[in-house]
Amino acid sequence: MSIYDTLNSEQKKAVLETDGPVLILAGAGSGKTRVLTHRIAYLIDECGVNPWNILAITFTNKAAGEMRDRVDKIVGFGSESIWVATFHSTCVRILRRYADKIGYENNFTIYDSDDSKSVLKDICKRYQLESQQLKLRNIQTAISHAKDNCVDAHEYATAAGTEYRKQRIAKAYLEYESTLKKNNAMDFDDLLLNTVKLFRDNPEILKQYQERFRYIMVDEYQDTNNVQFEFIRLLADRYKNLCVVGDDDQSIYRFRGANIRNILDFEKVYPNAFVVKLEQNYRSTQSILDAANCVIKNNFGRKEKALWTDEGKGEPVRFKRCNTGPEEAEFIASDIVKLKKQGRADYKDIAVLYRTNAQSRLIEERFVYEGIPYDLVGGVNFYGRREIKDLLAYLKTIDSGADDLSVRRIINVPKRGIGATSIEHVQNYADKINISFLKACEEADMIPGLNKSAMAKCVAFANMIRVFRAYEKECTLEQLLQRVIREINYLDYLATIDDNADTEDNEREQNVDELISKMAAYEEKEDEPTLTGFLEEVALVADIDNVSDDDDKVLLMTLHSAKGLEFDHVYLAGMEENLFPSYMTLMNEDSDPEGVEEERRLAYVGITRARKQLTLCCAKARMTRGQLQYNGVSRFVTEIPREMLNDISVSDGGFLFDGGESINDDDDIDLDTGSIFKKKMDFSKSTGYGASPVAKSPYAGTKAAVSYSGGRPVAKAAPAKKRAVPKDKPFIAGAAATHKKAGITGLKKGMPGMEILDYGVGDRVLHVKYGTGVVKEIVKEPRDYKVTVDFDEFGQKIMFAAFAKLKKL
DNA sequence: AAAGCAAGCTTTTTT
DNA sequence: AGCTTGCTTT
């Protein structure tokens, strides 16, 4: 008996069909990872394929790591030379070798979407590209989609033709591209697009990789976009041993450019493709699968399939409609407490899934209140935090210095008295002679318009970076980071930036510590740790990558993040029309019916995460963006026949939800379970948890709870006690603040003060920024003169004489 | 230069 | 509602 005998017949077919294109349509929970790993083992052990020739691509590092572990377990020898990686890291590895072939340096930096955004913002400002109809956000997604479709800036500009909107996007795109190139930086989309470019322009390099990767496997194929498709197509073009695994019903990343046609049309692109359907589910009970099937069958144009299981019916799917959002959270929390008490589940067997990150707050608050330990996935990314971005910018600058964005981020952080005006001068100079911002700082004494002290500060900054670079050569990465933090007094700086000094700064400090440990961990595990390598790793992690099931905690996350995971008990929160499906998709339903279909697939993903018990929850009324909204029950609930649901909305049973109908203000609702009127009152007072110690400041409590422990960027439920100890700290901080304030005012006294003005009403004056204008009015104030000037170009401005520094003409 | 304040936007999802 | 942003104020 071989390991392959444990597979079912369809799985076995998928494993044994090793050559040529293969499409595995793998329903949720049908054991696709198992198939993939066995397939790899089969290739190596039975077909004599060199592990070196195998490439397996996934979407997340977490998935890659899991696959790697499982492959290691069943492949006898050489499993370490199998290339298992995400799309992005695969491309980075290729580009680190060959970026110079397409006009980059090989040590390019990687921009996350925040970085792209700030670059674009500068551009939009400079060229006045933003408007009511065309917002920064639109431009950013337009560019991203263009890249997803392999359209570069020039092609986009050509295609834009006379269309004004597109012309402006094209302008932004062109500028954006040249800025990134100048900064030797690539964004996420570039990693793919540039690799494809590299392959297209350099057939010999492509051939080399084609020869290397003779057997290619792609997981989650339904979520590939067009560049990813092209990347794979090119790689597989020589041997065509391409095996893709996916489920069209789980395609949920269209907004990110994923093209569901890639999987639906696979057989058109590869007419001789071997197709296998895996429909037997090894995860969930039949009740859960029935619910999933009922929902997903409402989609059109899908590949027909239906999940089934050998296991029994199990418990029926539960449905609970609460009055309000907080009540929904309360229900979920108390239900979990019950599960735990009855010994039916550990915390780690439970997940709460929702459509939008904003929904996590209420649930978190309630969890803190009930003392339920939880991990929060997503939300504000660890690497998106200010203090982390600052330090990474230092590291990036030390590593390369070509990236102006990073240099400009830190040149005045902590404050060095280099203000916006000075930065502008330096930038202008750099632009003029086409050098980097950092280089311009080095030769700041050559910069016209820059005053003496600013010059000195810029040069000092450049020197400091030089010193840091020397450190890099002589000490470990961790020591380097520690030294940087110490020498720029970063922790002192952090203490000054948050005004609510009690918890915030402490949290930032913890994040800094966390970054240090991540650096240390990286150094530990890597054979040849480099700064570039660390920055790269950091740039390509997703929040979900850091989730491990070692901790006994309930997981809170969006439905998107949950793809690929499974739990005994799953709560789907916020099953309401306008929330899920979101009002955005409902608004565009007529013009874009695909949107709702994608939401339905998302519902399908959510439902099929559950192994034993699924609970669908919603609220009749909910606070959304500061407004009370009444939502009907989500269609994804009503698509499941009532008799298949156990409605527990009223504890004594018998109450059935009323269709998808929404309720109005003056509808009388459930006066027996607490009237909606009363709940409305609750909304006005924070979030309605009365006088509990946590409720005193529910949000602050939650924030404090979001800490970074155990090496992962996830929140954990913090005990509510935290407040008591640092009680005297705000006092000290407050005292310090007072001193500082006094210091500033003291300084102020010695400042310009009341000078005698050399101009009067009616005179023409010159302002450094606003140019020329006419003085309209001068009002004497206790400290200074308030001068009103009508500028020729900027209109009327009121300013203080001491700061305006007007010159009489 | 930096603090303080009003305005507007957001969040649907993220490698 | 909460957060970021830009403008005003000192």
Side-chain angles (χ1 to χ4, degrees), chain A residues 62 253 352-361 364 374-385 507 541-548 554-562 565 699 702 705-708 712-716:
Chain A
K62 183 172 160 61
Y253 283 108
V352 183
L353 312 179
Y354 37 79
R355 180 66 236 272
T356 69
N357 276 309
Q359 288 169 257
S360 73
R361 219 196 78 216
E364 281 185 76
Y374 67 90
D375 268 357
L376 185 85
V377 181
V380 199
N381 194 307
F382 178 73
Y383 294 103
R385 285 162 189 272
E507 192 192 320
V541 291
D543 223 16
I544 193 72
D545 295 336
N546 295 293
V547 173
S548 97
V554 178
L555 275 184
L556 266 53
M557 70 187 106
T558 62
L559 289 153
H560 282 88
S561 301
L565 308 178
Y699 197 58
T702 313
V706 183
S707 65
Y708 293 87
R712 59 186 66 93
V714 283
K716 59 168 182 184

Side-chain angles (χ1 to χ4, degrees), chain A residues 367-620:
Chain A
F367 276 20
V368 171
Y369 176 79
E370 296 269 14
I372 300 172
Y374 67 90
D375 268 357
L376 185 85
V377 181
V380 199
N381 194 307
F382 178 73
Y383 294 103
R385 285 162 189 272
R386 189 217 284 214
E387 58 277 19
I388 302 303
K389 291 217 95 175
D390 285 346
L391 292 177
L392 289 178
Y394 271 95
L395 295 176
K396 280 184 182 177
T397 303
I398 294 165
D399 190 40
S400 133
D403 177 18
D404 291 355
L405 194 71
S406 294
V407 181
R408 278 167 47 182
R409 179 182 183 100
I410 56 170
I411 189 160
N412 203 28
V413 172
K415 298 259 178 312
R416 298 188 177 91
I418 305 175
T421 326
S422 306
I423 291 176
E424 209 177 308
H425 277 125
V426 177
Q427 185 67 63
N428 287 341
Y429 175 80
D431 287 347
K432 211 168 83 191
I433 62 170
N434 200 20
I435 56 172
S436 74
F437 190 90
L438 185 62
K439 194 93 185 40
C441 287
E442 281 169 21
E443 45 194 76
D445 43 350
M446 315 272 290
I447 300 178
L450 204 59
N451 65 47
K452 263 249 163 72
S453 85
M455 280 176 189
K457 288 167 187 161
C458 287
V459 172
F461 173 79
N463 283 335
M464 179 183 72
I465 297 297
R466 211 172 287 155
V467 171
F468 289 159
R469 284 184 179 157
Y471 291 162
E472 189 200 351
K473 296 213 173 62
E474 70 199 32
C475 59
T476 69
L477 292 177
E478 188 194 341
Q479 287 166 338
L480 169 70
L481 180 56
Q482 299 261 28
R483 280 188 167 185
V484 170
I485 292 168
R486 188 165 3 106
E487 293 194 19
I488 63 176
N489 278 323
Y490 193 67
L491 296 183
D492 290 345
Y493 165 74
L494 281 184
T496 66
I497 60 176
D498 294 309
D499 28 31
N500 43 338
D502 49 347
T503 53
E504 280 275 357
D505 55 341
N506 197 327
E507 192 192 320
R508 291 192 196 276
E509 263 181 50
Q510 285 177 25
N511 289 339
V512 170
D513 284 344
E514 190 57 41
L515 185 68
I516 297 171
S517 9
K518 277 181 190 299
M519 182 77 117
Y522 166 80
E523 230 165 351
E524 187 90 350
K525 77 163 193 193
E526 213 69 19
D527 293 338
E528 279 177 53
T530 62
L531 195 47
T532 313
F534 175 74
L535 292 169
E536 171 183 313
E537 182 164 298
V538 148
L540 295 178
V541 291
D543 223 16
I544 193 72
D545 295 336
N546 295 293
V547 173
S548 97
D549 45 16
D550 295 347
D551 296 338
D552 189 25
K553 289 176 183 172
V554 178
L555 275 184
L556 266 53
M557 70 187 106
T558 62
L559 289 153
H560 282 88
S561 301
K563 198 180 66 168
L565 308 178
E566 53 182 269
F567 307 89
D568 284 350
H569 303 267
V570 169
Y571 296 82
L572 298 187
M575 298 297 290
E576 295 148 37
E577 289 287 297
N578 295 315
L579 185 60
F580 187 32
S582 81
Y583 69 96
M584 279 291 202
T585 33
L586 292 181
M587 243 166 33
N588 306 323
E589 196 174 356
D590 295 329
S591 59
D592 177 29
E594 273 283 301
V596 177
E597 298 229 330
E598 174 142 321
E599 299 261 322
R600 187 173 285 111
R601 293 194 287 268
L602 197 51
Y604 176 80
V605 167
I607 294 170
T608 53
R609 295 312 95 197
R611 290 197 202 104
K612 293 183 185 160
Q613 186 188 49
L614 174 67
T615 309
L616 309 170
C617 320
C618 66
K620 290 175 181 170

Side-chain angles (χ1 to χ4, degrees), chain A residues 87 91 144-151 188-197 200 224-234 256-257 259 262:
Chain A
F87 273 104
C91 289
S144 175
H145 281 149
K147 290 185 177 183
D148 288 346
N149 292 318
C150 299
V151 177
F188 288 141
D189 304 312
D190 285 333
L191 298 177
L192 267 305
L193 186 56
N194 285 332
T195 310
V196 166
K197 267 188 193 155
R200 283 184 182 163
T224 50
N225 62 30
N226 292 341
V227 218
Q228 287 163 340
F229 169 84
E230 185 60 10
F231 170 70
I232 292 297
R233 191 193 67 78
L234 285 168
R256 209 169 67 189
N259 185 354
N262 286 347

Side-chain angles (χ1 to χ4, degrees), chain A residues 255-324:
Chain A
F255 69 93
R256 209 169 67 189
N259 185 354
I260 194 171
R261 303 252 55 101
N262 286 347
I263 190 161
L264 294 178
D265 296 345
F266 188 79
E267 295 154 85
K268 285 187 191 148
V269 180
Y270 299 100
N272 59 335
F274 181 80
V275 183
V276 197
K277 268 188 206 178
L278 306 179
E279 289 170 297
Q280 181 172 3
N281 175 291
Y282 296 93
R283 178 186 298 158
S284 314
T285 64
Q286 190 65 51
S287 297
I288 291 166
L289 296 181
D290 287 344
N293 286 329
C294 286
V295 171
I296 199 65
K297 73 173 181 223
N298 293 290
N299 270 3
F300 292 95
R302 49 186 286 267
K303 302 224 173 200
E304 199 56 48
K305 63 184 139 6
L307 297 176
W308 60 276
T309 177
D310 259 351
E311 306 299 311
K313 275 246 158 231
E315 291 173 52
V317 174
R318 297 190 299 166
F319 173 70
K320 167 81 177 179
R321 191 176 190 202
C322 304
N323 284 316
T324 65

Side-chain angles (χ1 to χ4, degrees), chain A residues 325-360:
Chain A
E327 276 187 33
E328 181 189 46
E330 199 178 324
F331 161 74
I332 295 172
S334 62
D335 205 56
I336 289 173
V337 168
K338 221 187 285 171
L339 272 179
K340 177 78 179 167
K341 256 201 194 121
Q342 295 168 350
R344 293 180 59 203
D346 286 332
Y347 291 124
K348 66 169 185 295
D349 304 323
I350 305 169
V352 183
L353 312 179
Y354 37 79
R355 180 66 236 272
T356 69
N357 276 309
Q359 288 169 257
S360 73

